[in-house]
Amino acid sequence: MNRFSGTVVILASGPSLVESDIDATRHLPCISVNTTWEKARHCQVIFAGDHRWWCDNADKIDIPAHRASLSYNSERQYNAMRFKSKVGTDGGYNSGAVAIEYALANGAERVILLGMDCSVKLGEHHHGKHPKSPNPNEKKCALWKTQFMAVRKRYPESNVVNCSRYTELDMFPCMPLEDALCAHGLIYATHSQSGGEYTAMACKG
């Protein structure tokens, strides 16, 4: 059974991700990549391909999100169900790239990307550096671009839109988040400063 339908948002770890973009998409199904779940506690899925990430972080997760990985060991030890990727390998792939494949394989008809910088020009991550990982760096970013392109080639008919405020991924169409939502009749949510609620905003005509 497919986990998703319609539009799915993937919130990645790039420093371009801001809370207003997270707030604007809280009404949509969401996949958080790696540590982004800490800011997107509403996410349905936490996707982290690297077993080392699960070793360092699994015990910290206190939300009921589904866990997914590329790793047999992560599935066995941390209940992070192994996704059988057609383009990624255990421990050797960018989690954001495989998260796109995961969304498509689980029924997403359209995928919106946020925080997919694939660059260190604005910094490393929006959540700070992983304590035991050398990622990211310029060399890694260059490798990751080829991996995102592999996803594009594997799923050429997929509808993936990159709404990251800064990105060096040019294999997916780019547009502002509000335009991407409104083009498909989706609401643009915002945080209510008075009551802490998330309310719909009308798209600009």
Side-chain angles (χ1 to χ4, degrees):
M1 178 180 294
N2 287 334
R3 184 171 297 276
F4 302 116
S5 64
T7 298
V8 174
V9 178
I10 298 179
L11 301 175
S13 301
S16 71
L17 184 67
V18 296
E19 291 199 23
S20 60
D21 289 343
I22 297 174
D23 291 348
T25 56
R26 285 179 182 271
H27 59 298
L28 296 172
C30 165
I31 300 171
S32 288
V33 178
N34 296 332
T35 310
T36 301
W37 73 269
E38 293 178 343
K39 290 188 176 180
R41 296 177 59 83
H42 62 288
C43 65
Q44 285 74 40
V45 176
I46 299 171
F47 191 96
D50 188 355
H51 178 62
R52 179 168 52 185
W53 186 91
W54 289 102
C55 293
D56 293 340
N57 294 276
D59 293 342
K60 303 174 186 177
I61 298 172
D62 61 354
I63 60 173
H66 177 77
R67 303 178 180 194
S69 178
L70 288 172
S71 168
Y72 286 108
N73 289 332
S74 298
E75 181 176 51
R76 179 171 55 86
Q77 296 178 27
Y78 303 114
N79 197 33
M81 302 302 291
R82 180 177 180 265
F83 172 58
K84 296 180 180 179
S85 170
K86 295 180 179 179
V87 292
T89 59
D90 181 1
Y93 215 76
N94 179 274
S95 292
V98 182
I100 298 172
E101 183 186 10
Y102 178 89
L104 295 171
N106 279 277
E109 299 168 15
R110 185 165 177 260
V111 179
I112 291 177
L113 309 179
L114 291 166
M116 292 280 192
D117 299 31
C118 205
S119 168
V120 292
K121 289 184 178 178
L122 299 183
E124 294 182 342
H125 301 295
H126 64 76
H127 51 65
K129 187 176 180 61
H130 293 301
K132 299 180 182 179
S133 172
N135 296 334
N137 54 48
E138 291 184 1
K139 184 177 180 179
K140 282 286 188 179
C141 288
L143 173 63
W144 292 341
K145 289 174 187 177
T146 67
Q147 297 170 350
F148 279 97
M149 180 59 74
V151 175
R152 174 82 280 179
K153 291 180 178 179
R154 183 78 191 194
Y155 302 90
E157 304 302 320
S158 60
N159 187 353
V160 180
V161 182
N162 193 348
C163 297
S164 303
R165 290 174 178 258
Y166 179 84
T167 186
E168 294 190 8
L169 298 177
D170 59 4
M171 64 287 300
F172 306 112
C174 295
M175 68 176 66
L177 175 58
E178 185 172 359
D179 292 348
L181 295 175
C182 292
H184 286 257
L186 299 170
I187 65 172
Y188 189 82
T190 185
H191 186 267
S192 171
Q193 295 183 356
S194 58
E197 300 289 332
Y198 291 91
T199 57
M201 290 183 66
C203 292
K204 298 175 182 177

